[in-house]
Amino acid sequence: MNGTVILHILPILEILIWNLFTTDKCCRRTYFPAKTVSFLSLFTAVAVLSILLFSEMLTISVGNGRFMLMGFVYLIPLKILYNVKLSHLFTIMCTCWTYTLGVLILSTQISGLIAADNIFLLLIVENLIFLATSPLFYGRIVTKYRFVIDNLLSYRKRWYRYIFFNNCLHFFVLAVLSLIFLGKKASLQNIVFLLCLFAAIYLSYFILYRLLLDSIRVKQLEEATLYDELTVLGNRSHLQNDLHDRLHSHQTFSVLFMDLNHFKQVNDRLSHAKGDEYLKQFARHSSNILKRYGTVYRFGGDEFVAVCPETVPPWIIDKLEKCSQWDPSSPCPFYGVSIGSVVCRPPHRNAEQILHQADTVMYHNKLRKNSAI
């Protein structure tokens, strides 16, 4: 077999190894590392033998880029070996190849300034560039890129389509440039152009990372302002948002206004810390009782409000009032809760009127119970 052909394959193998290594850094393996490496090695051996069988295709100068798109054949084994969606995997591969293909083009231009068509010199320059840039690429760029990929799927799916097309565009731009620059005489001007292009590509990754990170932090802050810190239920602002959505849906829904009985005595007799535990336990029980019927919010103090998509059955209200699953290890027994239930049918009034009506019904129910005692 022609030794020149084997030499031509060496740069391809090196690029392939770096691509697979980068993919492994960005994806979650399905199997143990040894099995993954063995499978990829066997697949690579078959691929190399296939190239050698068509060695007549390698008669032109080294680094012609003819076989670059054959790397997408690795989508098959990588999909088997890694727990990742095909679109996700394709995006990662394009990103990996943007790096490795960029190194190949740059190495070809730099080595070409010293000695044209010298494969050994190309390999040396290529390895030096990989060694010089890999700490930055894997330590900074890959970690940020992986954060972007992992979070885009759950945070902004529409954004994921953008990064998918963006990464594909980066790769195919470099693929076209490789066909131009790998067959073009090396020059310092080409090297400067390539460095500027790579800087722009990786700067776009960093900008996307910062935008996503800041967006997630803003969303977390917004969510934090909608939840009660003690009970982890939605707070009054969250309740207002929910009611606003219900009012514009033009559908029937119910509102339960709940006020804990004798809660002041719990605070005065047992301490405010025990009172907080009392509130948290009621929040858990009421949420469990209503989980199939609606959402519970902490309105303030010892008052809670539930918003339910439909009419709440009377036995659910009775279950809330008794709270029979109250934890016996609690610092005090459950003293009951007064509930005002309002069914809201379109055309709806505003949220304040609905809450006021439910509060009034609750107050009358509490007075009736107290007078009965």
Side-chain angles (χ1 to χ4, degrees):
M1 192 163 287
N2 193 335
T4 305
V5 173
I6 297 176
L7 286 178
H8 281 185
I9 293 177
L10 290 179
I12 298 174
L13 285 176
E14 184 173 29
I15 294 298
L16 176 62
I17 291 170
W18 282 98
N19 281 336
L20 295 177
F21 179 73
T22 309
T23 304
D24 186 77
K25 285 281 188 179
C26 295
C27 300
R28 187 178 292 107
R29 283 191 298 266
T30 304
Y31 305 101
F32 291 112
K35 187 172 183 178
T36 302
V37 172
S38 300
F39 191 93
L40 288 174
S41 299
L42 179 62
F43 190 89
T44 301
V46 173
V48 171
L49 287 175
S50 300
I51 293 175
L52 291 175
L53 288 175
F54 298 95
S55 58
E56 67 275 6
M57 298 177 64
L58 294 171
T59 56
I60 59 177
S61 62
V62 63
N64 57 74
R66 179 170 297 192
F67 290 98
M68 71 177 74
L69 295 179
M70 287 183 61
F72 284 111
V73 175
Y74 277 82
L75 282 170
I76 300 170
L78 291 175
K79 183 65 181 73
I80 297 171
L81 297 171
Y82 292 90
N83 184 21
V84 62
K85 291 183 178 179
L86 189 61
S87 60
H88 190 159
L89 183 60
F90 187 82
T91 307
I92 291 172
M93 285 187 70
C94 286
T95 305
C96 298
W97 282 28
T98 300
Y99 170 59
T100 53
L101 187 58
V103 171
L104 174 62
I105 302 171
L106 193 59
S107 302
T108 304
Q109 287 291 310
I110 294 174
S111 63
L113 287 177
I114 304 171
D117 295 333
N118 188 319
I119 297 177
F120 291 108
L121 180 60
L122 170 63
L123 289 173
I124 292 172
V125 173
E126 195 172 76
N127 279 287
L128 288 175
I129 294 177
F130 274 130
L131 291 174
T133 59
S134 59
L136 174 64
F137 182 74
Y138 293 107
R140 297 290 185 88
I141 296 173
V142 170
T143 53
K144 288 178 172 57
Y145 178 73
R146 184 170 182 176
F147 173 85
V148 169
I149 290 293
D150 291 342
N151 286 277
L152 274 179
L153 289 173
S154 58
Y155 179 68
R156 288 283 189 272
K157 290 185 178 180
R158 184 163 54 97
W159 286 14
Y160 182 77
R161 291 196 295 270
Y162 296 153
I163 193 174
F164 174 81
F165 290 116
N166 180 65
N167 290 356
C168 292
L169 182 62
H170 285 164
F171 168 72
F172 286 110
V173 165
L174 278 177
V176 172
L177 287 176
S178 68
L179 297 175
I180 298 172
F181 282 98
L182 293 180
K184 193 175 182 180
K185 185 178 179 181
S187 70
L188 186 60
Q189 182 180 357
N190 293 342
I191 295 173
V192 172
F193 171 80
L194 289 170
L195 289 174
C196 292
L197 177 63
F198 301 148
I201 289 174
Y202 293 117
L203 182 61
S204 70
Y205 291 154
F206 181 76
I207 292 173
L208 180 62
Y209 164 77
R210 289 302 311 180
L211 287 173
L212 179 63
L213 182 62
D214 291 344
S215 297
I216 290 174
R217 286 174 176 171
V218 169
K219 185 179 180 182
Q220 290 172 343
L221 289 173
E222 289 175 348
E223 290 179 348
T225 63
L226 296 175
Y227 288 90
D228 176 60
E229 186 176 354
L230 178 65
T231 62
V232 201
L233 296 176
N235 58 19
R236 189 180 297 196
S237 296
H238 201 165
L239 169 64
Q240 292 287 350
N241 293 341
D242 191 1
L243 283 175
H244 182 269
D245 293 339
R246 300 282 179 189
L247 294 175
H248 286 80
S249 67
H250 303 293
Q251 295 178 351
T252 300
F253 64 94
S254 301
V255 173
L256 305 182
F257 201 105
M258 299 175 281
D259 184 88
L260 294 174
N261 298 334
H262 311 298
F263 179 70
K264 187 176 184 302
Q265 297 177 20
V266 176
N267 272 336
D268 294 343
R269 194 159 49 89
L270 297 175
S271 78
H272 286 278
K274 299 297 183 184
D276 288 346
E277 289 298 322
Y278 191 91
L279 290 172
K280 288 193 287 186
Q281 191 167 169
F282 177 76
R284 287 195 298 270
H285 283 295
S286 59
S287 296
N288 287 334
I289 292 170
L290 288 165
K291 63 183 177 181
R292 293 177 55 190
Y293 298 92
T295 306
V296 181
Y297 303 88
R298 187 184 180 191
F299 191 72
D302 60 343
E303 296 174 329
F304 296 81
V305 173
V307 179
C308 310
E310 298 176 355
T311 304
V312 181
W315 65 270
I316 289 291
I317 297 177
D318 183 63
K319 195 172 182 180
L320 281 168
E321 291 176 336
K322 294 178 180 178
C323 226
S324 57
Q325 299 299 318
W326 193 261
D327 190 350
S329 63
S330 177
C332 66
F334 180 60
Y335 294 124
V337 60
S338 298
I339 302 175
S341 177
V342 173
V343 178
C344 307
R345 296 183 174 87
H348 296 299
R349 294 158 292 169
N350 61 51
E352 287 74 17
Q353 289 177 326
I354 292 172
L355 290 172
H356 178 72
Q357 182 184 359
D359 185 20
T360 302
V361 174
M362 179 277 298
Y363 180 72
H364 288 309
N365 289 339
K366 176 173 278 195
L367 288 178
R368 188 174 65 253
K369 287 182 180 179
N370 290 339
S371 62
I373 295 174

